[in-house]
Amino acid sequence: MQLVNVHKFYDLGASVHALDSLPETVTLGNCFLPILLANFRLKQLLENQLLPINVCRVSAEKLVSALKDSLPDDLGPNTDWNLETTKDKVQAIKTTLKEFETVFSAELPSLATYFVDQKGIYSTKDLIERAENMFSETVRVAMNPQTVEDIRQAGRSIAFDLPTASGFHSLRAIESILRLYYSNILKKSPTKRDWGTYIEDLKKGGADQDILSAIDQIRSLHRNPLIHPEDNLTVDQAVALLALAQGAILGMITDIEKRKSTTAVAAASLTAGAS
Protein backbone atom coordinates (compact mmCIF):
# COMPACT_ATOMS: atom_id res chain seq x y z
CA MET A 1 0.00 0.00 0.00
CA GLN A 2 1.37 3.40 -0.97
CA LEU A 3 0.25 6.76 0.38
CA VAL A 4 -0.48 9.10 -2.53
CA ASN A 5 0.52 12.74 -2.26
CA VAL A 6 -2.26 14.32 -4.33
CA HIS A 7 -0.49 17.70 -4.40
CA LYS A 8 2.13 16.13 -6.66
CA PHE A 9 -0.59 15.72 -9.29
CA TYR A 10 -1.25 19.45 -9.06
CA ASP A 11 2.47 20.13 -9.51
CA LEU A 12 2.65 17.68 -12.42
CA GLY A 13 -0.28 19.26 -14.23
CA ALA A 14 0.89 22.83 -13.61
CA SER A 15 4.49 22.27 -14.69
CA VAL A 16 3.76 20.05 -17.70
CA HIS A 17 0.84 22.05 -19.09
CA ALA A 18 2.92 25.25 -18.80
CA LEU A 19 4.98 23.93 -21.73
CA ASP A 20 2.03 24.68 -24.01
CA SER A 21 2.58 28.39 -23.35
CA LEU A 22 6.14 28.42 -24.67
CA PRO A 23 6.43 30.95 -27.53
CA GLU A 24 7.66 29.70 -30.90
CA THR A 25 10.88 31.63 -30.40
CA VAL A 26 12.24 31.62 -26.87
CA THR A 27 15.67 32.12 -25.34
CA LEU A 28 17.35 29.34 -23.44
CA GLY A 29 17.24 31.47 -20.29
CA ASN A 30 13.45 31.82 -20.49
CA CYS A 31 12.61 28.19 -21.26
CA PHE A 32 15.19 26.42 -19.11
CA LEU A 33 13.26 26.56 -15.80
CA PRO A 34 9.86 25.45 -17.24
CA ILE A 35 11.56 22.57 -19.06
CA LEU A 36 13.54 21.60 -15.97
CA LEU A 37 10.42 21.54 -13.74
CA ALA A 38 8.34 19.59 -16.27
CA ASN A 39 11.15 17.08 -16.73
CA PHE A 40 11.44 16.59 -12.96
CA ARG A 41 7.69 15.98 -12.50
CA LEU A 42 7.53 13.61 -15.46
CA LYS A 43 10.39 11.54 -14.07
CA GLN A 44 8.51 11.29 -10.74
CA LEU A 45 5.57 9.93 -12.71
CA LEU A 46 7.73 7.46 -14.64
CA GLU A 47 9.33 6.24 -11.40
CA ASN A 48 5.84 5.47 -9.99
CA GLN A 49 6.19 8.09 -7.25
CA LEU A 50 2.63 9.27 -7.95
CA LEU A 51 0.77 6.18 -9.13
CA PRO A 52 1.77 3.18 -11.24
CA ILE A 53 1.13 4.02 -14.90
CA ASN A 54 1.04 1.77 -17.96
CA VAL A 55 -0.70 3.17 -21.02
CA CYS A 56 0.79 6.69 -20.91
CA ARG A 57 4.34 5.57 -20.11
CA VAL A 58 5.50 5.63 -23.74
CA SER A 59 4.08 9.11 -24.39
CA ALA A 60 5.61 10.40 -21.12
CA GLU A 61 9.01 9.06 -22.16
CA LYS A 62 8.64 10.71 -25.59
CA LEU A 63 7.90 14.04 -23.91
CA VAL A 64 10.95 13.69 -21.66
CA SER A 65 13.05 12.95 -24.74
CA ALA A 66 11.68 16.04 -26.53
CA LEU A 67 12.54 18.19 -23.49
CA LYS A 68 16.06 16.81 -23.42
CA ASP A 69 16.54 17.46 -27.14
CA SER A 70 15.50 21.09 -26.72
CA LEU A 71 18.44 21.86 -24.43
CA PRO A 72 22.15 21.96 -25.30
CA ASP A 73 24.21 18.99 -24.15
CA ASP A 74 26.97 21.23 -22.78
CA LEU A 75 25.11 23.35 -20.23
CA GLY A 76 27.59 25.00 -17.88
CA PRO A 77 29.17 28.27 -16.73
CA ASN A 78 29.82 29.35 -20.33
CA THR A 79 26.29 28.67 -21.59
CA ASP A 80 24.80 31.46 -23.71
CA TRP A 81 21.39 31.92 -22.07
CA ASN A 82 20.35 34.34 -24.82
CA LEU A 83 20.60 31.57 -27.39
CA GLU A 84 17.20 31.00 -29.02
CA THR A 85 15.61 27.55 -29.12
CA THR A 86 14.53 26.63 -32.63
CA LYS A 87 10.89 26.67 -33.66
CA ASP A 88 11.07 22.95 -34.55
CA LYS A 89 12.17 22.00 -31.03
CA VAL A 90 9.41 24.02 -29.42
CA GLN A 91 6.88 22.46 -31.78
CA ALA A 92 8.20 18.98 -30.95
CA ILE A 93 7.62 19.69 -27.25
CA LYS A 94 4.06 20.88 -27.85
CA THR A 95 3.21 17.93 -30.13
CA THR A 96 4.46 15.32 -27.66
CA LEU A 97 2.80 17.28 -24.81
CA LYS A 98 -0.58 17.07 -26.54
CA GLU A 99 -0.13 13.33 -27.10
CA PHE A 100 0.85 12.77 -23.47
CA GLU A 101 -2.04 14.79 -22.05
CA THR A 102 -4.54 12.93 -24.25
CA VAL A 103 -3.31 9.48 -23.22
CA PHE A 104 -2.80 10.48 -19.57
CA SER A 105 -6.36 11.83 -19.30
CA ALA A 106 -7.64 8.54 -20.72
CA GLU A 107 -5.62 6.39 -18.32
CA LEU A 108 -6.29 8.29 -15.08
CA PRO A 109 -9.96 7.23 -14.71
CA SER A 110 -8.92 3.57 -14.97
CA LEU A 111 -6.36 3.73 -12.16
CA ALA A 112 -7.26 2.12 -8.83
CA THR A 113 -7.58 5.30 -6.78
CA TYR A 114 -10.04 5.55 -3.91
CA PHE A 115 -10.97 7.97 -1.17
CA VAL A 116 -11.21 6.37 2.27
CA ASP A 117 -13.69 8.26 4.42
CA GLN A 118 -13.43 8.69 8.18
CA LYS A 119 -14.95 6.01 10.39
CA GLY A 120 -16.37 7.14 13.72
CA ILE A 121 -14.05 9.42 15.66
CA TYR A 122 -10.92 7.78 14.23
CA SER A 123 -8.90 9.60 11.60
CA THR A 124 -8.33 7.57 8.43
CA LYS A 125 -4.56 7.92 8.68
CA ASP A 126 -4.54 6.64 12.27
CA LEU A 127 -6.73 3.64 11.40
CA ILE A 128 -4.54 2.66 8.47
CA GLU A 129 -1.10 3.28 9.94
CA ARG A 130 -1.23 3.13 13.74
CA ALA A 131 -4.48 1.85 15.22
CA GLU A 132 -2.46 0.35 18.09
CA ASN A 133 -1.84 3.90 19.30
CA MET A 134 -5.30 3.80 20.87
CA PHE A 135 -3.28 2.29 23.72
CA SER A 136 -0.61 4.13 25.67
CA GLU A 137 3.01 3.16 25.12
CA THR A 138 3.03 1.49 28.55
CA VAL A 139 0.19 -0.83 27.51
CA ARG A 140 1.68 -1.49 24.05
CA VAL A 141 4.95 -2.60 25.62
CA ALA A 142 3.06 -5.21 27.66
CA MET A 143 1.46 -6.65 24.51
CA ASN A 144 3.04 -9.35 22.39
CA PRO A 145 3.81 -8.45 18.74
CA GLN A 146 0.89 -10.50 17.40
CA THR A 147 -1.62 -8.57 19.51
CA VAL A 148 -0.23 -5.27 18.24
CA GLU A 149 -0.47 -6.57 14.66
CA ASP A 150 -4.08 -7.72 15.15
CA ILE A 151 -5.10 -4.32 16.53
CA ARG A 152 -3.36 -2.65 13.59
CA GLN A 153 -5.15 -4.94 11.12
CA ALA A 154 -8.48 -4.36 12.87
CA GLY A 155 -8.04 -0.63 12.31
CA ARG A 156 -7.04 -1.03 8.67
CA SER A 157 -9.98 -3.33 8.00
CA ILE A 158 -12.38 -0.70 9.35
CA ALA A 159 -10.75 2.00 7.22
CA PHE A 160 -11.11 -0.11 4.07
CA ASP A 161 -14.72 -1.13 4.76
CA LEU A 162 -13.97 -4.71 5.82
CA PRO A 163 -15.86 -4.70 9.13
CA THR A 164 -16.21 -8.47 9.58
CA ALA A 165 -12.46 -8.93 9.04
CA SER A 166 -11.89 -6.19 11.61
CA GLY A 167 -14.09 -8.07 14.07
CA PHE A 168 -12.00 -11.22 13.72
CA HIS A 169 -8.78 -9.28 14.35
CA SER A 170 -10.27 -7.55 17.40
CA LEU A 171 -11.32 -10.90 18.86
CA ARG A 172 -7.91 -12.42 18.10
CA ALA A 173 -6.28 -9.54 19.97
CA ILE A 174 -8.52 -10.10 23.00
CA GLU A 175 -7.81 -13.84 23.04
CA SER A 176 -4.07 -13.26 22.81
CA ILE A 177 -4.13 -11.08 25.93
CA LEU A 178 -6.66 -13.39 27.61
CA ARG A 179 -4.15 -16.24 27.31
CA LEU A 180 -1.46 -13.96 28.75
CA TYR A 181 -3.83 -13.04 31.60
CA TYR A 182 -4.53 -16.73 32.21
CA SER A 183 -0.81 -17.52 32.45
CA ASN A 184 -0.15 -14.66 34.83
CA ILE A 185 -3.07 -15.41 37.16
CA LEU A 186 -2.90 -19.21 37.20
CA LYS A 187 0.85 -19.59 36.58
CA LYS A 188 0.29 -22.12 33.81
CA SER A 189 -0.70 -22.17 30.16
CA PRO A 190 -4.27 -23.07 29.18
CA THR A 191 -4.72 -26.59 27.84
CA LYS A 192 -7.87 -25.88 25.86
CA ARG A 193 -8.45 -23.01 23.43
CA ASP A 194 -11.92 -22.00 24.55
CA TRP A 195 -13.03 -18.68 26.01
CA GLY A 196 -15.58 -20.33 28.27
CA THR A 197 -12.88 -22.54 29.78
CA TYR A 198 -10.53 -19.58 30.19
CA ILE A 199 -13.19 -17.62 32.04
CA GLU A 200 -14.26 -20.47 34.35
CA ASP A 201 -10.65 -21.28 35.27
CA LEU A 202 -9.88 -17.62 35.90
CA LYS A 203 -12.93 -17.24 38.13
CA LYS A 204 -11.67 -20.10 40.28
CA GLY A 205 -8.18 -18.60 40.27
CA GLY A 206 -9.27 -15.27 41.71
CA ALA A 207 -9.11 -13.08 38.62
CA ASP A 208 -10.93 -9.74 38.55
CA GLN A 209 -14.66 -10.51 38.26
CA ASP A 210 -15.54 -7.28 36.46
CA ILE A 211 -12.95 -7.97 33.77
CA LEU A 212 -14.18 -11.54 33.36
CA SER A 213 -17.80 -10.36 33.11
CA ALA A 214 -16.84 -7.95 30.31
CA ILE A 215 -14.96 -10.67 28.43
CA ASP A 216 -17.80 -13.15 28.90
CA GLN A 217 -20.22 -10.62 27.43
CA ILE A 218 -17.93 -10.15 24.40
CA ARG A 219 -17.80 -13.95 24.06
CA SER A 220 -21.56 -14.31 24.18
CA LEU A 221 -22.64 -11.29 22.12
CA HIS A 222 -19.82 -11.02 19.59
CA ARG A 223 -17.36 -13.91 19.38
CA ASN A 224 -19.81 -16.81 19.29
CA PRO A 225 -22.16 -15.27 16.68
CA LEU A 226 -19.26 -14.09 14.48
CA ILE A 227 -17.87 -17.59 13.94
CA HIS A 228 -21.00 -18.46 11.94
CA PRO A 229 -20.61 -17.74 8.20
CA GLU A 230 -24.03 -16.09 7.91
CA ASP A 231 -23.08 -13.43 10.46
CA ASN A 232 -21.48 -10.19 9.21
CA LEU A 233 -20.61 -6.96 10.96
CA THR A 234 -21.43 -3.43 9.89
CA VAL A 235 -18.76 -0.75 10.12
CA ASP A 236 -20.45 0.70 13.21
CA GLN A 237 -20.45 -2.72 14.86
CA ALA A 238 -16.77 -3.24 14.01
CA VAL A 239 -15.87 0.15 15.50
CA ALA A 240 -17.82 -0.74 18.65
CA LEU A 241 -16.13 -4.15 18.90
CA LEU A 242 -12.69 -2.56 18.54
CA ALA A 243 -13.59 -0.23 21.43
CA LEU A 244 -14.68 -3.23 23.50
CA ALA A 245 -11.39 -4.94 22.68
CA GLN A 246 -9.55 -1.84 23.81
CA GLY A 247 -11.37 -1.88 27.15
CA ALA A 248 -10.92 -5.62 27.74
CA ILE A 249 -7.22 -5.58 26.86
CA LEU A 250 -6.58 -2.49 28.96
CA GLY A 251 -8.37 -4.08 31.91
CA MET A 252 -6.40 -7.33 31.74
CA ILE A 253 -3.00 -5.67 31.29
CA THR A 254 -3.72 -3.18 34.09
CA ASP A 255 -4.66 -6.05 36.43
CA ILE A 256 -1.53 -7.98 35.46
CA GLU A 257 0.69 -4.98 36.23
CA LYS A 258 -1.14 -4.26 39.49
CA ARG A 259 -0.63 -7.83 40.68
CA LYS A 260 3.04 -7.72 39.73
CA SER A 261 3.46 -4.52 41.70
CA THR A 262 1.67 -6.00 44.74
CA THR A 263 3.83 -9.11 44.59
CA ALA A 264 6.98 -7.01 44.34
CA VAL A 265 5.98 -4.93 47.37
CA ALA A 266 5.17 -8.06 49.38
CA ALA A 267 8.49 -9.64 48.43
CA ALA A 268 10.35 -6.49 49.45
CA SER A 269 8.57 -6.45 52.82
CA LEU A 270 9.49 -10.08 53.47
CA THR A 271 13.10 -9.40 52.59
CA ALA A 272 13.19 -6.39 54.90
CA GLY A 273 11.60 -8.39 57.73
CA ALA A 274 14.06 -11.24 57.34
CA SER A 275 17.00 -8.89 57.62
Side-chain angles (χ1 to χ4, degrees), residues 158-172:
I158 289 172
F160 294 127
D161 292 314
L162 300 168
T164 303
S166 174
F168 277 110
H169 283 292
S170 293
L171 293 169
R172 278 165 54 100

Side-chain angles (χ1 to χ4, degrees), residues 42-50 57:
L42 285 166
K43 285 190 173 180
Q44 284 186 320
L45 180 68
L46 288 168
E47 292 170 0
N48 292 336
Q49 293 184 30
L50 305 184
R57 180 170 293 277

Side-chain angles (χ1 to χ4, degrees), residues 2-275:
Q2 179 179 332
L3 180 64
V4 176
N5 184 342
V6 293
H7 190 266
K8 286 185 177 180
F9 279 97
Y10 174 84
D11 288 337
L12 172 68
S15 57
V16 171
H17 191 69
L19 298 172
D20 195 45
S21 299
L22 290 175
E24 291 185 353
T25 303
V26 60
T27 64
L28 184 59
N30 287 333
C31 73
F32 177 72
L33 186 57
I35 289 175
L36 186 69
L37 287 174
N39 184 67
F40 175 71
R41 297 303 178 192
L42 285 166
K43 285 190 173 180
Q44 284 186 320
L45 180 68
L46 288 168
E47 292 170 0
N48 292 336
Q49 293 184 30
L50 305 184
L51 279 176
I53 57 169
N54 294 301
V55 181
C56 71
R57 180 170 293 277
V58 173
S59 59
E61 290 172 344
K62 286 172 65 175
L63 180 53
V64 168
S65 179
L67 295 177
K68 181 180 178 182
D69 291 343
S70 68
L71 299 175
D73 294 329
D74 56 349
L75 285 173
N78 298 321
T79 297
D80 180 6
W81 296 103
N82 292 316
L83 182 68
E84 290 187 347
T85 300
T86 65
K87 180 179 178 180
D88 289 344
K89 289 182 178 180
V90 172
Q91 187 57 47
I93 290 174
K94 292 187 176 183
T95 300
T96 52
L97 169 64
K98 184 176 181 180
E99 177 186 336
F100 166 72
E101 289 187 327
T102 300
V103 179
F104 191 47
S105 66
E107 181 171 6
L108 279 180
S110 69
L111 295 179
T113 52
Y114 301 90
F115 173 75
V116 181
D117 57 345
Q118 182 169 327
K119 305 298 192 305
I121 64 171
Y122 300 107
S123 78
T124 299
K125 190 175 180 65
D126 285 342
L127 279 177
I128 293 173
E129 297 182 3
R130 45 180 175 267
E132 70 275 14
N133 281 4
M134 65 173 59
F135 296 98
S136 68
E137 185 177 357
T138 302
V139 175
R140 293 199 305 272
V141 168
M143 295 178 182
N144 56 56
Q146 185 58 55
T147 304
V148 173
E149 181 61 21
D150 275 316
I151 291 295
R152 188 178 295 144
Q153 292 299 332
R156 287 179 179 171
S157 297
I158 289 172
F160 294 127
D161 292 314
L162 300 168
T164 303
S166 174
F168 277 110
H169 283 292
S170 293
L171 293 169
R172 278 165 54 100
I174 295 172
E175 181 165 352
S176 180
I177 300 301
L178 182 55
R179 289 173 65 83
L180 176 67
Y181 191 48
Y182 188 105
S183 299
N184 273 269
I185 298 294
L186 302 178
K187 307 304 178 186
K188 63 180 181 179
S189 298
T191 57
K192 185 179 179 182
R193 302 203 67 163
D194 175 74
W195 283 35
T197 301
Y198 297 155
I199 292 167
E200 287 305 313
D201 289 350
L202 284 165
K203 282 180 180 178
K204 296 173 185 176
D208 187 290
Q209 296 301 304
D210 290 335
I211 293 173
L212 294 180
S213 294
I215 294 171
D216 196 29
Q217 188 175 47
I218 294 172
R219 178 192 66 82
S220 175
L221 297 180
H222 302 282
R223 182 182 182 275
N224 289 352
L226 196 56
I227 63 175
H228 300 297
E230 67 272 12
D231 234 59
N232 293 294
L233 296 182
T234 65
V235 169
D236 287 339
Q237 288 171 332
V239 170
L241 183 51
L242 182 57
L244 290 173
Q246 180 184 17
I249 290 170
L250 178 60
M252 287 186 284
I253 289 179
T254 300
D255 195 32
I256 289 171
E257 296 303 316
K258 183 174 69 175
R259 289 169 186 266
K260 285 180 180 179
S261 177
T262 302
T263 301
V265 170
S269 298
L270 286 174
T271 302
S275 61

